Amino acid sequence: MAVFGAGYFKGKVVAIMGAEHPLGSSLALRFSGFGATVIAIGEDEESLHGLARTNPEQIEPLALRSGRADVLGLLRDAWGDEPLDCYIDTSPISAERQKLQAPDIFAKSAGTAAALVRGIRNGQARAVLAMPAVSSTSSPTETARHAGYTALVRQFGKECMPGRFCGAEVPGDLEWSSEQCLSIGDAIMMLVHPVSRAVAQGTVIGLALDRRK
C-alpha cells in the first residue's frame, strides 16, 4: 500500500457489502486502519458486530437481515444520499462460499448497488464489484452468472457517473487465507485509489494471485 499512498484513505467513507467474507473483513480492517470510516454491510449481524468491535471508532456495522421486504429501502434511507468515497461489493464471492443460488446472489448485488447509487454519484466514488472469474472449464451457469455481473457493472457504470463502477474477477479456487486476502485486497484497493484513474468506467479487470508464496 505504501507504493501508491494509503494515506489517501484517511477521512474517506468506504462502504463494504459482504463484510462477513474473509476478504470483506480484511478490507474493512485495512481501510479503518488507514483512517477511513467503514460501513460494514452484510446479513450476519453477529459477525458484523464482532468486526466493528475491533475498531469501533472507524467501523459501523449495518446488518441487512434476510426476510425483511424493506431492507434495501432502509439502506437507501440511511445512506442513499450520503456521499461515499469508495464502495466495494464482495457479496458475489461471499454468496458463492455460502452456496446460495445464482438469482439470489445477483439480486443482492443489484439491489444494494441501486440503494447506494446516489451516494456513489454524490461522492464521485470509485466502486468495485468483486465477482468469481470464469474459464474454459466453467459451467454454463457460472458463465451466465459472470455475464450478468458484467452487465450489472456496465449498467451502474453509467448510472453512478461521475463516480466510477468497475468489476474485479477473483480466482475461484481460493481458501481465503490471510495472505490471499491481502493479495486480492491490495488489487481491489488500488482500483478505488486515484492511481487507477486510467481504468475505464464499466471495465472488468482480472485479478491475478501470486501463487509463488
Side-chain angles (χ1 to χ4, degrees), residues 34 40 50 75 77 83 100 113 136 161 182 204 213:
F34 294 142
L75 176 61
D77 292 342
L100 297 182
S136 58
M161 293 178 68
L182 288 174
V204 176
K213 298 181 180 180

Side-chain angles (χ1 to χ4, degrees), residues 28 30 38 53 66 76 109 140 177 187 189 201 205:
R30 296 179 73 189
V38 176
R53 283 194 292 271
S66 297
R76 184 171 54 250
S109 288
S177 65
M189 293 181 83
Q201 180 75 273
I205 306 292

